[in-house]
Coordinates of all heavy atoms in Angstrom, one line a residue:
L113 N 4.3 -30.1 -1.8 CA 3.1 -29.9 -1.0 C 2.6 -31.1 -0.4 O 2.8 -32.2 -0.8 CB 2.0 -29.3 -1.9 CG 2.4 -28.0 -2.7 CD1 1.2 -27.7 -3.7 CD2 2.7 -26.9 -1.7
K114 N 2.0 -30.9 0.8 CA 1.4 -32.0 1.6 C 0.1 -32.5 0.9 O -0.6 -31.7 0.3 CB 1.2 -31.6 3.0 CG 2.4 -31.3 3.8 CD 2.1 -30.9 5.2 CE 3.3 -30.5 6.0 NZ 3.0 -30.1 7.4
N115 N -0.2 -33.8 1.0 CA -1.5 -34.3 0.5 C -1.7 -34.1 -0.9 O -2.7 -33.5 -1.4 CB -2.6 -33.8 1.3 CG -2.5 -34.0 2.8 OD1 -2.1 -35.2 3.2 ND2 -2.8 -33.1 3.7
P116 N -0.7 -34.5 -1.8 CA -0.9 -34.2 -3.2 C -2.1 -34.8 -3.8 O -2.7 -34.2 -4.8 CB 0.4 -34.8 -3.8 CG 0.9 -35.8 -2.8 CD 0.5 -35.2 -1.5
R117 N -2.5 -36.0 -3.3 CA -3.8 -36.6 -3.9 C -5.0 -35.8 -3.6 O -5.9 -35.6 -4.5 CB -3.9 -38.0 -3.4 CG -2.8 -39.0 -4.0 CD -3.1 -40.4 -3.6 NE -2.0 -41.3 -4.2 CZ -2.0 -41.7 -5.4 NH1 -3.0 -41.4 -6.2 NH2 -1.0 -42.5 -5.9
A118 N -5.0 -35.3 -2.4 CA -6.2 -34.4 -2.0 C -6.2 -33.2 -2.8 O -7.2 -32.6 -3.2 CB -6.1 -34.1 -0.5
I119 N -5.0 -32.6 -3.1 CA -4.9 -31.4 -3.9 C -5.4 -31.7 -5.3 O -6.1 -30.9 -5.9 CB -3.4 -30.9 -3.9 CG1 -3.0 -30.3 -2.5 CG2 -3.2 -29.8 -5.0 CD1 -1.6 -30.0 -2.4
A120 N -5.0 -32.8 -5.8 CA -5.4 -33.2 -7.2 C -6.9 -33.4 -7.3 O -7.5 -32.9 -8.3 CB -4.7 -34.5 -7.6
D121 N -7.5 -34.0 -6.3 CA -8.9 -34.2 -6.3 C -9.6 -32.9 -6.3 O -10.7 -32.7 -6.9 CB -9.3 -35.2 -5.2 CG -8.9 -36.6 -5.4 OD1 -8.7 -37.0 -6.6 OD2 -8.9 -37.4 -4.4
D122 N -9.1 -32.0 -5.5 CA -9.7 -30.6 -5.3 C -9.7 -29.9 -6.7 O -10.7 -29.3 -7.0 CB -9.0 -29.8 -4.2 CG -9.6 -28.4 -4.1 OD1 -10.8 -28.4 -3.7 OD2 -8.9 -27.5 -4.4
M123 N -8.5 -30.0 -7.3 CA -8.4 -29.3 -8.6 C -9.3 -29.9 -9.7 O -9.9 -29.2 -10.5 CB -7.0 -29.4 -9.1 CG -6.1 -28.4 -8.3 SD -6.6 -26.6 -8.7 CE -5.4 -25.7 -7.8
L124 N -9.4 -31.2 -9.7 CA -10.3 -31.9 -10.7 C -11.7 -31.5 -10.4 O -12.5 -31.2 -11.4 CB -10.2 -33.4 -10.5 CG -8.9 -34.1 -10.9 CD1 -8.9 -35.6 -10.5 CD2 -8.8 -33.9 -12.5
D125 N -12.2 -31.3 -9.2 CA -13.5 -30.9 -8.9 C -13.7 -29.4 -9.3 O -14.7 -29.0 -9.9 CB -13.8 -31.1 -7.4 CG -15.2 -30.5 -7.0 OD1 -16.1 -31.1 -7.5 OD2 -15.3 -29.6 -6.3
R126 N -12.7 -28.6 -9.0 CA -12.7 -27.1 -9.3 C -12.9 -26.9 -10.8 O -13.5 -25.9 -11.2 CB -11.5 -26.5 -8.7 CG -11.4 -25.0 -8.9 CD -10.2 -24.4 -8.3 NE -10.0 -23.0 -8.6 CZ -8.9 -22.3 -8.1 NH1 -8.0 -22.9 -7.3 NH2 -8.8 -21.1 -8.5
F127 N -12.2 -27.7 -11.6 CA -12.2 -27.5 -13.0 C -13.1 -28.5 -13.8 O -13.0 -28.7 -15.0 CB -10.8 -27.6 -13.5 CG -10.0 -26.3 -13.2 CD1 -9.3 -26.3 -12.0 CD2 -9.9 -25.3 -14.0 CE1 -8.5 -25.2 -11.6 CE2 -9.2 -24.1 -13.7 CZ -8.5 -24.1 -12.5
S128 N -14.0 -29.1 -13.1 CA -15.1 -30.0 -13.7 C -14.4 -31.1 -14.4 O -14.8 -31.4 -15.6 CB -16.0 -29.2 -14.6 OG -16.7 -28.1 -13.8
L129 N -13.4 -31.7 -13.9 CA -12.7 -32.8 -14.5 C -12.7 -34.1 -13.7 O -12.0 -35.0 -14.0 CB -11.3 -32.4 -14.8 CG -11.0 -31.3 -15.9 CD1 -9.6 -30.8 -15.8 CD2 -11.4 -31.8 -17.2
T130 N -13.6 -34.1 -12.6 CA -13.5 -35.3 -11.8 C -13.8 -36.6 -12.5 O -13.1 -37.6 -12.3 CB -14.5 -35.1 -10.6 OG1 -14.2 -34.0 -9.9 CG2 -14.5 -36.3 -9.7
E131 N -14.9 -36.6 -13.4 CA -15.2 -37.8 -14.0 C -14.1 -38.3 -15.0 O -14.0 -39.5 -15.3 CB -16.5 -37.6 -14.8 CG -17.7 -37.4 -13.9 CD -19.0 -37.4 -14.7 OE1 -19.0 -37.5 -16.0 OE2 -20.1 -37.1 -14.1
A132 N -13.3 -37.4 -15.5 CA -12.3 -37.7 -16.5 C -10.9 -37.8 -15.8 O -9.9 -38.1 -16.4 CB -12.1 -36.6 -17.5
G133 N -10.9 -37.7 -14.4 CA -9.6 -37.7 -13.7 C -8.8 -38.9 -13.9 O -7.5 -38.9 -13.9
S134 N -9.4 -40.1 -14.0 CA -8.7 -41.4 -14.1 C -8.3 -41.7 -15.6 O -7.6 -42.7 -15.8 CB -9.5 -42.5 -13.5 OG -10.7 -42.6 -14.1
R135 N -8.8 -41.0 -16.5 CA -8.5 -41.2 -17.9 C -7.2 -40.6 -18.3 O -6.7 -39.6 -17.8 CB -9.6 -40.7 -18.8 CG -10.9 -41.5 -18.8 CD -12.0 -40.7 -19.4 NE -11.6 -39.9 -20.6 CZ -12.4 -38.9 -21.1 NH1 -13.5 -38.6 -20.5 NH2 -11.9 -38.3 -22.1
R136 N -6.5 -41.3 -19.3 CA -5.3 -40.7 -19.9 C -5.6 -39.4 -20.6 O -6.6 -39.2 -21.3 CB -4.7 -41.7 -20.8 CG -4.1 -42.9 -20.2 CD -3.5 -43.8 -21.3 NE -2.5 -43.2 -22.2 CZ -2.1 -43.7 -23.3 NH1 -2.5 -44.9 -23.7 NH2 -1.2 -43.1 -24.0
V137 N -4.7 -38.5 -20.4 CA -4.9 -37.1 -21.0 C -5.0 -37.2 -22.5 O -5.6 -36.3 -23.2 CB -3.8 -36.1 -20.6 CG1 -3.9 -34.8 -21.2 CG2 -3.9 -35.9 -19.0
A138 N -4.5 -38.2 -23.1 CA -4.5 -38.4 -24.6 C -5.9 -38.5 -25.0 O -6.2 -38.2 -26.3 CB -3.7 -39.6 -25.0
T139 N -6.9 -38.8 -24.2 CA -8.3 -39.0 -24.6 C -9.1 -37.7 -24.3 O -10.2 -37.6 -24.7 CB -8.9 -40.1 -23.8 OG1 -9.1 -39.7 -22.4 CG2 -8.2 -41.4 -23.9
Y140 N -8.5 -36.6 -23.8 CA -9.2 -35.4 -23.5 C -9.3 -34.6 -24.7 O -8.6 -34.6 -25.7 CB -8.3 -34.5 -22.5 CG -8.3 -35.1 -21.0 CD1 -8.8 -36.3 -20.7 CD2 -8.0 -34.2 -20.0 CE1 -8.8 -36.8 -19.4 CE2 -8.0 -34.6 -18.6 CZ -8.4 -35.9 -18.4 OH -8.4 -36.3 -17.1
S141 N -10.4 -33.8 -24.7 CA -10.6 -32.8 -25.8 C -9.7 -31.6 -25.5 O -9.0 -31.5 -24.5 CB -12.1 -32.3 -25.7 OG -12.3 -31.5 -24.5
G142 N -9.6 -30.7 -26.5 CA -8.7 -29.6 -26.4 C -9.1 -28.7 -25.2 O -8.2 -28.2 -24.5
G143 N -10.4 -28.5 -25.0 CA -10.8 -27.7 -23.9 C -10.5 -28.3 -22.5 O -10.1 -27.6 -21.6
M144 N -10.6 -29.6 -22.4 CA -10.3 -30.3 -21.2 C -8.8 -30.3 -21.0 O -8.4 -30.1 -19.8 CB -10.7 -31.8 -21.3 CG -12.3 -31.9 -21.3 SD -12.7 -33.6 -21.7 CE -12.2 -34.6 -20.3

Side-chain angles (χ1 to χ4, degrees):
L113 300 176
K114 297 180 180 179
N115 302 317
R117 292 188 178 279
I119 292 172
D121 287 340
D122 178 66
M123 283 295 181
L124 290 171
D125 179 65
R126 180 176 172 183
F127 287 87
S128 303
L129 292 169
T130 299
E131 292 185 2
S134 60
R135 285 167 38 198
R136 289 177 56 191
V137 173
T139 68
Y140 284 18
S141 67
M144 293 169 68

